[in-house]
Amino acid sequence: MNKRIPLITLATAGVLVLAACASSGSPSGGSTSGGSGSGDSSPIKIGIVTPLSGAYGSEGQEEVRGMQLALTANGNKVGNHPVTLVTADGFVANDAIAAVDRLVSQEHVNIITGTYATPTSLAGSQEAAKLNVPWIETSAITDSLTQRGLDTYIRTGARAFDFASASADFLIKGLGSKVDSKSVYIDAENGPYGTAVEQTQVSKLKAAGWKVGQGSHASAATDVTDSVLAAKNAKPAVWLLTGYNPDLTLLLRTAAAQNFKPQAIVLTGAGDAQSVYQAVGAKDLTGTFVVAYSSLIESPKYAPGMAKYYKAYKAKYNSEPLGTVSATAYTGMTAVLEIIKAAGGKTDTQSIKAGSLKVDVPLGGLPNGWGLQIDQQGQNQRIELTTVQWRSDGTLPAVWPTKAVKTGEKLELK
Amino acid sequence: MSGILEVTGLHSGYGDLEVLHGVDLSVEKGAIVSVVGANGAGKSTLLGTIAGVVRPTQGSIVIDGVDITGIAAHKVVGHGVALVPEGRKLFPFLSVEDNLRLGAFHKAARSRSKATRDEIYDLFPRLAERRTQMAGSLSGGEQQMCAIGRGMMALPKVLMLDEPSLGLAPIVVEQMFGLISNLASSGLTILLVEQNVADALELSSRASVLEQGQITMTGSGPELLADPGLQSAYLGIA
Amino acid sequence: MGVLTIIISGVLVGGMYALIAIGLNAVFGVVRVVNFAHGELVVLGMYTAYFAWTVWSVDPYITAVLIALPLGFLVGLVIQRFVVQRLLDEPLMQMFATFGLLMLLQNLFLAFTRGEPKAVRVAASSASLDFFGVSVSVSRLVVLGAAIVVTIILVVFLRQTLYGAAVRAVSQDRGTAALMGINVKVLYMVAFGVSGAIALMAGALMSPIYTASPALGFSFVLPAFAVVVLGGLGSIGGSLIGGLIVGVVEALSGYFLDPALKQAVWFTLFLAVLVIRPAGLFGRAGSEEIGQR
């Protein structure tokens, strides 16, 4: 009759469950590849594994949209092979494995791509490798994904390392001559992603002779006054931040409240969303630099395919794209098709691997201005990330590298 | 048959388990009526059913002409039936005073709350001394006084006491029965359930014996006390 | 000055934790239900403020009082009436149910916002006062003020009124409370309503500070759970003090140790309190065990 479970026990269990949930979800990326051969005009089926529900469901859906648009732009075929897409929902490791099993056993896909999220890419690609299906990743960014020695795994998209290098290069080559002193305070979110980015930034900037201060913050922090004060006390010329939109927003707001005004603020990997502009406000955000994916719609010479993508998106979905996810996926699917083309339309793991090593698309050859050259580890080496800068009207023109800058814009400190 | 509380053909129990199999009981105004019986005979279930805590499946409960069969527990007290539950069930982290105030929570009693409380303090000076103490910190006897006081705060037509002597020292038990007797002589109607058969019968004007969910004997207290069958079953007199 | 700034920022964040914890405690302490969806109710308040601000240009502080309070009351009432009440005698099922509610609300937010963060920006967002050379954010001060006001109102209500005594009685022994003529179901609905009202109001008041996103609830409800346990189950005053303690401990450990260790430090504190004093700093010993009859 009296089987009471003390509430404290329930409460503790509850807190632990919540803690587990809270720590299980930041996007980044990774996986493998496998496949099977095909005849001259045999159809090719590409599976997309990406989060279609849950916290990153909208991003996953945007990714599918971008890929669909790129396929349409290529006439829904590679050479003589008609190409179709099949999607599967996957975010956590188990979902991704189940999604891969279904795509391979029931849908008989030849190649799998995606994924927006590292856990998806990591677990999904290992499962695909077992089934001997190639995996071409377009958007998961964790460095280690292409360091696993997985021969069936190729990544056309950027790594965290690329963001870190691009931001460090921007400071060294772009900002260095404009700021009063070559001093920087680097603060990254303290997960694996931010930590990896920060390490690369620190070593590159130190090697270039910059004075470097270091800090960190939790991406789920409710208050970052401590991190901001630490940066302020270091009196740097440049404040270099890595994180996600909500924590970067909080850092910028807190800096304004604490009257911390370095000569330049540079955000890596995020900070280009309209919500950031809305939350921080034009006064405090104007002049802030962001090293991120960019849709580069207004730089037709640099990014030749982006205007076409944007037009197609608006026409088909009758809304503005959500951030730059679909633009990146558009480029990603274009790269996937390039690799299949180089493999002569064959989709077995060996042909895809061989094809990927042959692909040679120069910088500017992909819609967003990237090129495509895959190294032995499966990583695309021709990735060039741009730096954009917030303007008071809420626009984000590219300001670096110089060739991506549209006429009338230039790199200026606030 | 025109008692202030009339229970007729009452069946009730928990889920599929029926505990009461047709109980009849009549309590006259101003009387002490006791229901005695062994542990598990269904005494507490009977009081619980009258109080609305246990759902009846058959039969009726009428208080002062109003049928209250099957109505929710929180409404029963407004009709004039207050239960002082077994084991006191005071609110341990509330003060004595707050426990008493809650006794008069229902609308009919609330407006007289302060006056009733003062009467109860007169009756139980010990409670008045400890009015700000947590009820959980009182001694067993004091807790029972507080529980009875809380029941009286409802200005009940019938006050039901479930095992008031349970867990009290013998000397305190005696005081407790003396007190119940005094309450009755001041005009309060009391329905008492006890395992302490001898003491209960001594002060009761009417009494019933409940065995396995049925009333097996009814009579005046002295009559039952003299009954040889009851003596051997409950009083240990061979 | 650095340390003063940190302590003040800790107190301000603590005010937020406290306000959320008080709402959580209203249900936790009275109905004895662990409402996992509480953080989502706070986020719902943020979205409500965003909606009112963009569609009708209503200031979030007006929304907090005029829209969030009544709406939150209604939402809480509905949750109790249609979800929790049916599972009143099954604490484990209640946990699953409120967890399900959490998932439901998160996914509704996702569906309606496509996961896009929503930010409200009003004058108070960046306004600050000067306090002995330390800048104090006005929007955060408002939340702290609200936490104090809500605490005072609830404590006075619980200690001084008959209905307050009834609430305490129900939390200690609901079966006996019914014998007193207290309608336990209605009281539970009101308790859930009050909890919901405080949660949505907290969300609306916090909307000028944080960018609303579907999963944001986690960041707040985690420390709030710790605050409830630290301050004591059912102790509203304990929630306020507990909130301030967690806020200050978090801020100091972030500044002097490492921001990465902030959560670890108050989690350790939380576990230590559980082991040494399960009733919490301000709860009564044994009170964590009662009330489930």
Side-chain angles (χ1 to χ4, degrees):
Chain A
M1 276 245 317
N2 231 3
K3 49 156 193 169
R4 306 191 311 229
I5 298 168
L7 263 174
I8 282 297
T9 314
L10 294 188
T12 312
V15 169
L16 295 179
V17 168
L18 279 185
C21 294
S23 64
S24 79
S26 302
S28 51
S31 138
T32 67
S33 69
S36 60
S38 51
D40 269 348
S41 64
S42 53
I44 294 173
K45 220 170 184 182
I46 300 178
I48 305 173
V49 180
T50 193
L52 294 174
S53 60
Y56 296 98
S58 346
E59 281 84 352
Q61 280 157 19
E62 280 287 296
E63 181 159 275
V64 172
R65 286 181 175 189
M67 291 188 165
Q68 186 64 60
L69 290 172
L71 187 60
T72 309
N74 281 278
N76 293 309
K77 57 184 191 204
V78 174
N80 293 326
H81 304 272
V83 180
T84 51
L85 298 180
V86 193
T87 61
D89 186 6
F91 179 52
V92 296
N94 285 342
D95 293 351
I97 291 168
V100 168
D101 286 342
R102 183 176 73 78
L103 286 175
V104 175
S105 65
Q106 290 173 33
E107 301 284 350
H108 305 290
V109 300
N110 307 98
I111 290 178
I112 297 177
T113 183
T115 57
Y116 191 74
T118 291
T120 314
S121 195
L122 189 64
S125 62
Q126 255 145 20
E127 182 70 6
K130 273 191 231 159
L131 301 168
N132 213 28
V133 173
W135 187 288
I136 308 181
E137 180 59 51
T138 65
S139 52
I141 64 171
T142 301
D143 291 346
S144 58
L145 288 170
T146 39
Q147 295 163 357
R148 292 176 295 164
L150 200 60
D151 260 352
T152 55
Y153 190 83
I154 293 162
R155 173 161 55 191
T156 65
R159 294 162 290 179
F161 175 80
D162 296 305
F163 284 96
S165 311
S167 57
D169 286 347
F170 168 63
L171 261 66
I172 294 161
K173 296 174 194 159
L175 278 181
S177 58
K178 298 190 183 280
V179 289
D180 295 340
S181 72
K182 291 189 178 181
S183 61
V184 58
Y185 189 87
I186 304 180
D187 189 313
E189 67 89 19
N190 59 22
Y193 159 68
T195 310
V197 169
E198 184 164 344
Q199 273 173 7
T200 305
Q201 288 170 336
V202 168
S203 63
K204 281 207 154 202
L205 285 160
K206 275 189 176 161
W210 282 60
K211 183 174 162 267
V212 176
Q214 274 182 265
S216 70
H217 67 275
S219 60
T222 46
D223 186 55
V224 290
T225 309
D226 43 8
S227 303
V228 171
L229 284 188
K232 190 182 177 187
N233 290 342
K235 297 189 175 62
V238 183
W239 193 26
L240 179 55
L241 298 168
T242 302
Y244 307 100
N245 285 325
D247 49 324
L248 292 178
T249 301
L250 200 55
L251 281 161
L252 294 176
R253 277 183 161 178
T254 307
Q258 295 296 337
N259 207 21
F260 173 42
K261 289 173 179 158
Q263 275 188 290
I265 300 176
V266 181
L267 314 178
T268 312
D272 53 349
Q274 279 303 313
S275 68
V276 176
Y277 178 75
Q278 231 170 28
V280 179
K283 180 172 150 281
D284 295 319
L285 189 63
T286 302
T288 301
F289 298 99
V290 186
V291 182
Y293 289 121
S294 171
S295 52
L296 294 166
I297 296 153
E298 291 171 354
S299 305
K301 271 188 207 147
Y302 180 74
M306 287 290 99
K308 187 177 165 191
Y309 142 79
Y310 183 66
K311 213 175 133 199
Y313 188 102
K314 295 264 282 188
K316 181 151 184 190
Y317 300 111
N318 200 23
S319 66
E320 287 289 324
L322 180 65
T324 56
V325 177
S326 62
T328 307
Y330 185 89
T331 298
M333 178 53 73
T334 309
V336 170
L337 298 176
E338 286 291 340
I339 292 172
I340 300 175
K341 205 185 291 172
K346 291 193 168 68
T347 56
D348 62 286
T349 51
Q350 278 166 3
S351 304
I352 289 292
K353 179 78 185 173
S356 73
L357 294 173
K358 272 194 294 191
V359 168
D360 185 12
V361 180
L363 274 175
L366 290 182
N368 68 349
W370 295 354
L372 189 62
Q373 184 184 42
I374 306 291
D375 66 11
Q376 280 293 344
Q377 290 187 319
Q379 176 60 42
N380 183 7
Q381 294 294 323
R382 287 189 185 151
I383 285 172
E384 195 169 59
L385 293 160
T386 46
T387 301
V388 293
Q389 189 177 24
W390 280 107
R391 295 287 185 249
S392 58
D393 60 357
T395 57
L396 274 162
V399 293
W400 185 265
T402 319
K403 59 186 171 179
V405 180
K406 90 170 184 189
T407 323
E409 288 291 348
K410 64 176 185 179
L411 198 181
E412 294 183 316
L413 296 184
K414 201 169 176 179
Chain B
M1 286 289 280
S2 63
I4 191 142
L5 173 66
E6 290 289 346
V7 173
T8 318
L10 192 65
H11 290 249
S12 85
Y14 310 89
D16 289 339
L17 178 72
E18 190 179 88
V19 177
L20 300 182
H21 316 290
V23 171
D24 296 310
L25 190 72
S26 176
V27 178
E28 268 171 57
K29 196 168 179 185
I32 299 185
V33 174
S34 58
V35 175
V36 298
N39 203 2
K43 304 189 300 292
S44 289
T45 306
L46 174 61
L47 295 195
T49 310
I50 297 170
V53 178
V54 183
R55 295 236 132 206
T57 47
Q58 261 186 64
S60 73
I61 304 161
V62 176
I63 174 88
D64 204 9
V66 180
D67 188 342
I68 58 162
T69 316
I71 70 171
H74 69 270
K75 288 183 183 155
V76 171
V77 65
H79 288 287
V81 182
L83 172 63
V84 178
E86 185 180 344
R88 274 84 73 175
K89 299 281 174 64
L90 291 175
F91 302 112
F93 301 118
L94 255 54
S95 65
V96 168
E97 175 113 5
D98 279 343
N99 269 278
L100 293 180
R101 280 166 78 202
L102 286 170
F105 185 83
H106 76 87
K107 285 208 182 65
R110 200 180 295 174
S111 54
R112 268 212 85 224
S113 180
K114 284 216 169 78
T116 324
R117 183 201 60 198
D118 291 343
E119 289 166 24
I120 287 167
Y121 282 151
D122 286 344
L123 201 59
F124 306 108
R126 290 290 283 279
L127 292 184
E129 283 165 29
R130 298 175 193 273
R131 59 203 293 168
T132 57
Q133 272 189 26
M134 294 288 153
S137 70
L138 300 180
S139 73
E142 289 165 348
Q143 288 198 16
Q144 190 61 58
M145 286 180 203
C146 186
I148 292 175
R150 188 177 66 179
M152 290 169 65
M153 286 294 290
L155 302 175
K157 292 168 181 163
V158 177
L159 181 67
M160 303 193 292
L161 305 175
D162 193 351
E163 308 275 7
S165 70
L166 195 75
L168 299 183
I171 184 157
V172 185
V173 172
E174 224 163 278
Q175 290 170 357
M176 193 58 60
F177 283 116
L179 188 105
I180 292 169
S181 175
N182 286 344
L183 289 179
S185 44
S186 70
L188 192 62
T189 311
I190 292 174
L191 174 56
L192 173 70
V193 148
E194 261 298 339
Q195 282 186 64
N196 198 334
V197 177
D199 285 328
L201 293 183
E202 230 162 75
L203 57 85
S204 301
S205 46
R206 300 284 300 173
S208 297
V209 177
L210 188 65
E211 281 179 350
Q212 296 181 0
Q214 283 173 316
I215 301 283
T216 52
M217 247 188 274
T218 299
S220 72
E223 269 168 30
L224 289 187
L225 263 181
D227 185 277
L230 187 130
Q231 283 184 350
S232 71
Y234 297 103
L235 303 175
I237 304 167
Chain C
M1 189 207 107
V3 175
L4 186 59
T5 308
I6 284 301
I7 290 176
I8 288 174
S9 78
V11 167
L12 293 176
V13 172
M16 255 178 265
Y17 292 163
L19 188 55
I20 294 167
I22 290 165
L24 195 61
N25 213 347
V27 161
F28 209 15
V30 177
V31 193
R32 302 277 156 175
V33 165
V34 185
N35 182 14
F36 285 110
H38 193 73
E40 276 49 47
L41 295 182
V42 175
V43 176
L44 180 63
M46 297 178 83
Y47 282 125
T48 305
Y50 175 81
F51 185 82
W53 179 67
T54 45
V55 178
W56 303 309
S57 310
V58 180
D59 188 277
Y61 293 105
I62 292 171
T63 302
V65 178
L66 295 186
I67 305 175
L69 275 179
L71 180 66
F73 189 82
L74 198 68
V75 170
L77 212 79
V78 167
I79 292 176
Q80 165 62 23
R81 175 68 187 78
F82 294 102
V83 182
V84 176
Q85 190 154 300
R86 287 157 192 271
L87 306 166
L88 215 47
D89 296 315
E90 305 185 55
L92 269 177
M93 284 300 135
Q94 286 170 349
M95 284 189 37
F96 288 125
T98 62
F99 198 79
L101 205 61
L102 177 160
M103 302 307 290
L104 175 73
L105 284 170
Q106 270 198 13
N107 283 289
L108 281 179
F109 297 153
L110 272 172
F112 282 108
T113 64
R114 293 184 75 200
E116 278 178 277
K118 302 288 187 196
V120 170
R121 195 181 158 70
V122 291
S125 298
S126 50
S128 56
L129 296 175
D130 191 75
F131 180 79
F132 296 112
V134 175
S135 92
V136 178
S137 148
V138 170
S139 48
R140 286 171 187 242
L141 207 56
V142 170
V143 180
L144 177 63
I148 294 171
V149 169
V150 168
T151 303
I152 292 172
I153 291 174
L154 287 181
V155 167
V156 168
F157 167 78
L158 288 171
R159 295 248 174 94
Q160 306 295 331
T161 70
L162 180 64
Y163 283 95
V167 171
R168 287 187 290 152
V170 167
S171 75
Q172 292 172 25
D173 184 342
R174 70 177 189 228
T176 306
L179 293 177
M180 305 295 114
I182 299 167
N183 189 336
V184 177
K185 284 182 183 174
V186 168
L187 191 137
Y188 277 2
M189 274 159 63
V190 172
F192 238 106
V194 167
S195 169
I198 296 172
L200 262 74
M201 181 191 73
L205 292 179
M206 283 159 58
S207 65
I209 307 171
Y210 294 101
T211 303
S213 61
L216 185 68
F218 279 138
S219 318
F220 292 101
V221 85
L222 261 183
F225 266 113
V227 167
V228 168
V229 172
L230 191 68
L233 221 61
S235 168
I236 301 295
S239 287
L240 180 65
I241 308 287
L244 299 182
I245 291 176
V246 169
V248 171
V249 164
E250 188 180 273
L252 288 175
S253 51
Y255 190 68
F256 288 110
L257 298 173
D258 182 349
L261 290 176
K262 282 203 287 204
Q263 288 207 336
V265 170
W266 64 246
F267 242 109
T268 310
L269 191 72
F270 163 77
L271 291 173
V273 168
L274 265 186
V275 171
I276 298 164
R277 205 180 141 76
L281 296 178
F282 301 92
R284 292 201 179 85
S287 63
E288 75 279 12
E289 296 271 3
I290 67 161
Q292 291 191 70
R293 291 185 276 260

